């Protein structure tokens, strides 16, 4: 039986002028074919007009975080990302 994990990731765009909705749409398009489910995004103010994106999703554990990182960094306007939480989902 495949386990599912819940992943929370903080994503930083390259600049204040980066289109956050476009970044979110591109990430969603990349995650869903690999098993990403219940994908949500939240924008948070960082400083001086710069916003981060918090991604929350369920993902197949066997695919691992390397695939998640690779897919996110394929989005051209992404500057950096950090996995803030990673845990098995129950129920």
């Amino acid at each position: 039986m495949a386990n599912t994990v819940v992943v929370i990731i903080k994503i930083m765009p390259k600049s204040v002028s980066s289109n956050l909705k476009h970044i979110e749409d591109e990430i969603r398009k990349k995650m869903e074919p690999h098993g990403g489910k219940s994908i949500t995004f939240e924008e948070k103010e960082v400083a001086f007009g710069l916003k981060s994106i918090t991604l929350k999703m369920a993902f197949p554990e066997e695919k691992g975080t390397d695939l998640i990182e690779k897919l996110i960094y394929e989005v051209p306007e992404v500057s950096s990302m950090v996995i803030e939480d990673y845990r098995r989902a129950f129920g």
Side-chain angles (χ1 to χ4, degrees):
M1 182 172 128
N3 291 317
T4 299
V5 293
V6 176
V7 186
I8 300 174
I9 302 168
K10 181 178 180 178
I11 301 163
M12 295 300 297
K14 286 193 175 178
S15 73
V16 174
S17 62
S18 294
N19 184 335
L20 301 185
K21 292 297 178 206
H22 176 72
I23 293 171
E24 293 168 9
D25 290 344
E26 289 300 308
I27 290 172
R28 184 182 307 276
K29 286 179 197 173
K30 291 179 178 295
M31 294 300 169
E32 287 177 342
H34 293 280
K37 294 183 180 162
S38 302
I39 300 171
T40 63
F41 297 95
E42 181 182 352
E43 296 175 10
K44 295 182 180 177
E45 290 283 338
V46 177
F48 306 108
L50 183 64
K51 293 182 180 181
S52 68
I53 301 169
T54 300
L55 161 64
K56 297 176 185 175
M57 71 174 172
F59 202 75
E61 183 177 29
E62 67 273 5
K63 300 221 175 172
T65 58
D66 289 343
L67 176 60
I68 294 171
E69 290 183 37
K70 176 186 170 291
L71 294 171
I72 290 174
Y73 279 122
E74 286 177 359
V75 178
E77 291 190 42
V78 170
S79 173
S80 65
M81 60 142 295
V82 62
I83 296 175
E84 293 187 330
D85 196 7
Y86 179 93
R87 63 181 74 198
R88 274 195 180 157
F90 294 97

